Amino acid sequence: MTDIASGTTIAAAVAAARDHFDSGATRPLAWRRHQLEQLARLLRENGPLIERSLWQDLHKSATETQLAETGVVRGEITHTLRNLNRWTKPRRVALPLSLQPASGRLVREPLGVVLIIAPWNYPVQLLLAPLVGALAAGNSVILKPSELTPTVSSTLAELVPRYLDAQAVHVVEGGVAETTELLTHRFDHIFYTGNGAVARVISRAAAEHLTPVTLELGGKSPAWFDDDAHLDQVARRIVWGKFMNAGQTCVAPDYILTTPDRVEPLTAALGRAITDMLGDDPAQNPDYGRIVNDRHYARLAALLDGADIVTGGQRDASSRYLAPTIVHAPAPGANQTEPDYMREEIFGPILPIVPVNDVDAAIEYTTARDKPLALYVFSASVTTRAAFISRTSSGGVGLDTPMLQAGIPDLPFGGVGASGMGAYHGQYSIDAFSHRKTIVRKPHMVDTLHFAQPPFTPAKRNIAAKTVK
Ligand code: NAD
């Protein structure tokens, strides 16, 4: 078991990962394929253990774990194994006539030793989906699971070395102290998923070694609603996306913008959808999650202080239960201070509905804030959808549905601005974890380079004037 807690063992893990990478062992496609197959085996053979761990840490149901945690990773593995040859094949590149005779190639090479730091909300998916890309690209990896989901962390620390090449993949458990220690070492890439404040700490540490980073962050993801004809269907989809994992999802709709006349019908429809999907008392429903720890529970409870709660609001500190809750937010610019729940990412089961005059006001509200990870438009109007797409910037856009844009293997998943930098999934993970190396060969046989070398005779100047356009 590679459960590492002290500075010396962290150094030993990084050194072992480096040595193994330097030995060339991780480069062959056969090794990469085998690791991916082994990771699939790990997930297949330990499904119930992983599901129990997530239940323990987050009250996450087995079905939700299969869909949103292990299923996502297994989908990534299958897709990557199917396409690995094509994605990693060197590519011939045509060179300009003026350089002929010559040949050019683009070769993907692994970066080296990669550090993957994961958060607690999807602690399996967000640790292992980046791992798929890192292994597929031929790297050694240090995995740092979140300490806030300790059962998942120890389960993975126990399983990973049993299935994967233990010289190449190391799990470092622990919290801030261990991550801080890890960050003193030189990595060839750091892939961090979590919040913007820690992302700044990571970026500063990475800068010391000029290490490139991928930052998968969060923030407030807005949703616009004006689709009266599909009121109930939209409400169900929003409730599904918002209250999955008790709202602790980076791409969950954070709040809904709609016109004042739609606030009441939408609130009623959301209430019906909550009852329909989670029952009269979601506390009794095994499909509804819990808040990860007391600190986050207290933070969310404080956000509700003085809020205009129209649905839900029930809570229980001892089990960290917070009911699916809808609040009516004041109109922006109304003569009131903005509530805290409209200033920070909610990251819990609280859904504010914000009245704005029209699409323009909603777009203005959105663009005045940090660029979100996701933006959702629930509208039957092509013009409205096009307006949001062309006039706002976000990591991705979901039209008529939340969440799905984050899980498509052939589409990059990542943020922009405050919601992150870089992207992954499928081929984009290979891009994230490898370097595209340019290779050019100029044979000696017909030495046309002669014309580019001094002395620049009138004849050469003439040729240069004709070839350089
Ligand atoms: P977290 O508290 O588990 O932190 C993430 C990792 O950072 C952990 O491994 C932790 O040990 C490490 N860490 C914490 N403090 C540190 C410090 N001072 N120095 C070094 N390392 C430190 O998770 P979190 O940040 O609370 O996660 C929630 C956030 O992540 C939300 O903002 C959410 O939107 C975002 N998120 C983004 C994505 C995405 O894919 N873009 C996915 C999930 C969550």
Side-chain angles (χ1 to χ4, degrees), residues 4 8 17 61 78 92 103 328 344 395:
I4 294 158
T8 46
S61 77
T78 308
R92 285 208 161 282
S103 61
H328 283 176
E344 61 180 74

Side-chain angles (χ1 to χ4, degrees), residues 117-121 126 144-148 174-176 179-180 183 192-195 198 201-202 216-219 250 296 345 347 373 413:
I117 305 176
W120 50 267
N121 62 333
L126 297 174
K144 165 62 186 68
S146 175
E147 70 278 21
L148 300 193
V176 174
T179 317
T180 305
L183 289 172
Y192 169 79
T193 305
N195 68 73
V198 174
V201 174
I202 307 279
E216 295 281 340
L217 312 179
C250 57
H296 279 286
E345 178 181 8
F347 218 55
L373 182 59
F413 173 58

Side-chain angles (χ1 to χ4, degrees), residues 254-449:
D254 189 277
Y255 59 92
I256 303 179
L257 296 159
T258 194
T259 51
D261 56 313
R262 291 187 170 96
V263 170
E264 287 305 334
L266 179 62
T267 306
L270 289 167
R272 288 194 293 276
I274 291 169
T275 309
D276 208 32
M277 291 162 75
L278 296 167
D280 288 326
D281 182 10
Q284 306 304 323
N285 192 320
D287 293 336
Y288 186 67
R290 295 295 181 271
I291 305 308
V292 66
N293 61 19
D294 292 340
R295 180 170 61 82
H296 279 286
Y297 176 85
R299 177 184 66 80
L300 290 162
L303 289 183
L304 288 177
D305 279 351
D308 180 6
I309 299 173
V310 285
T311 298
Q314 301 83 358
R315 61 189 107 148
D316 172 45
S318 65
S319 60
R320 299 189 306 277
Y321 167 76
L322 182 52
T325 298
I326 298 170
V327 300
H328 283 176
N335 248 351
Q336 295 182 35
T337 45
E338 200 171 35
D340 285 343
Y341 62 74
M342 289 312 296
R343 280 194 237 221
E344 61 180 74
E345 178 181 8
I346 293 171
F347 218 55
I350 301 170
L351 179 60
I353 303 182
V354 185
V356 289
N357 284 341
D358 51 22
V359 169
D360 285 339
I363 289 177
E364 205 175 294
Y365 186 86
T366 304
T367 52
R369 284 158 176 76
D370 284 343
K371 291 180 180 178
L373 182 59
L375 181 139
Y376 299 111
V377 186
F378 298 92
S379 176
S381 157
V382 181
T383 318
T384 298
R385 295 198 295 258
F388 275 99
I389 291 171
S390 64
R391 290 167 54 196
T392 67
S393 177
S394 58
V397 173
L399 303 176
D400 299 334
T401 180
M403 322 292 273
L404 297 190
Q405 83 287 353
I408 315 286
D410 270 328
L411 289 176
F413 173 58
V416 57
S419 56
M421 59 176 79
Y424 73 126
H425 286 176
Q427 186 167 10
Y428 300 95
S429 293
I430 305 278
D431 287 345
F433 291 112
S434 51
H435 166 61
R436 277 168 293 177
K437 185 158 74 178
T438 295
I439 300 174
V440 171
R441 174 155 192 255
K442 176 85 180 141
H444 291 289
M445 216 171 50
V446 185
D447 190 10
T448 53
L449 272 186

Side-chain angles (χ1 to χ4, degrees), residues 185-219:
H185 293 274
R186 180 175 70 81
F187 292 95
D188 298 291
H189 193 88
I190 300 177
F191 187 103
Y192 169 79
T193 305
N195 68 73
V198 174
R200 286 166 172 80
V201 174
I202 307 279
S203 298
R204 274 194 287 271
E208 281 304 310
H209 298 286
L210 288 181
T211 298
V213 291
T214 301
L215 301 176
E216 295 281 340
L217 312 179

Side-chain angles (χ1 to χ4, degrees), residues 29 42 148 158 243 269 304 405-406:
L29 280 189
L42 180 160
L148 300 193
E158 201 259 318
F243 299 113
L304 288 177
Q405 83 287 353

